[in-house]
Amino acid sequence: TRRLGGLADRCVNWLLRLLRKPATDRIERSLSQFKSQTARTVHHRGWLLTWTTLANQFAGFALVLIIVRAVGITAGQVTSIAVFTSFAVARLAGAIPITPGGLGTVDAAFISLMTAFGASSSRALAADLIWRLMMYVLPIIPGIVTYVLWLRRRDRYVRPAASAQGWSSPL
């Protein structure tokens, strides 16, 4: 981390010299602090992180299994083990950085495996689209709502303080 941070600092300092700004060593220090914080966190909470990650993945699989059954793919057509295999391989395929967020890669792997295991292509596609909707689009809605609430609450505190000091807020 020190060598990588030092290299990054040298590149930044070269640019800073061109702009006649003072040199920095912030990247090296930040990377070193990040490394030590990560090591401490893993040392103290490694098992908790592992179990939480496993619970998250199991919840994702449970969601997929519920969706698969809800779209009409029965256990006679595709077993729960086959759904789990499709889910796991699709998640692994998404880890290969072909597209941002595994967009398309996960879907292609999941749909093709579900079809290979006996589901109709239209039902496999429906299951995949609902899964992706539940995992990505639906969480955006509460995120937007909480962001708007945060902005409104922040404005209540920023505007009175700004007017009391005689300056206006840029927001």
Side-chain angles (χ1 to χ4, degrees), residues 17 19 23 37 40 54-55 67 75 80 84 95 101 111 113 126 129 133 135 139 146 148 152 159 171:
R17 264 184 263 126
L19 300 172
Q37 287 173 349
R40 273 195 314 274
L54 286 172
I67 292 169
S80 297
F84 178 75
I111 293 167
L113 282 169
L129 290 175
L133 176 78
M135 293 299 293
T146 56
V148 168
R152 293 179 82 194
R159 290 179 199 266
L171 301 174

Side-chain angles (χ1 to χ4, degrees), residues 1-14:
T1 57
R2 289 185 190 274
R3 279 189 280 189
L4 182 62
L7 176 64
D9 277 332
R10 283 192 296 278
C11 293
V12 168
N13 287 335
W14 175 79

Side-chain angles (χ1 to χ4, degrees), residues 99-163:
T99 61
L103 187 63
T105 310
V106 173
D107 307 309
F110 182 76
I111 293 167
S112 61
L113 282 169
M114 289 295 291
T115 305
F117 283 127
S120 70
S121 58
S122 61
R123 289 183 192 245
L125 175 62
D128 179 69
L129 290 175
I130 294 169
W131 172 35
R132 300 298 265 188
L133 176 78
M134 298 292 286
M135 293 299 293
Y136 294 106
V137 176
L138 290 182
I140 291 173
I141 295 167
I144 290 170
V145 169
T146 56
Y147 179 68
V148 168
L149 291 173
W150 176 78
L151 283 176
R152 293 179 82 194
R153 186 172 200 173
R154 185 193 67 176
D155 285 348
R156 285 186 200 155
Y157 296 106
V158 171
R159 290 179 199 266
S163 61

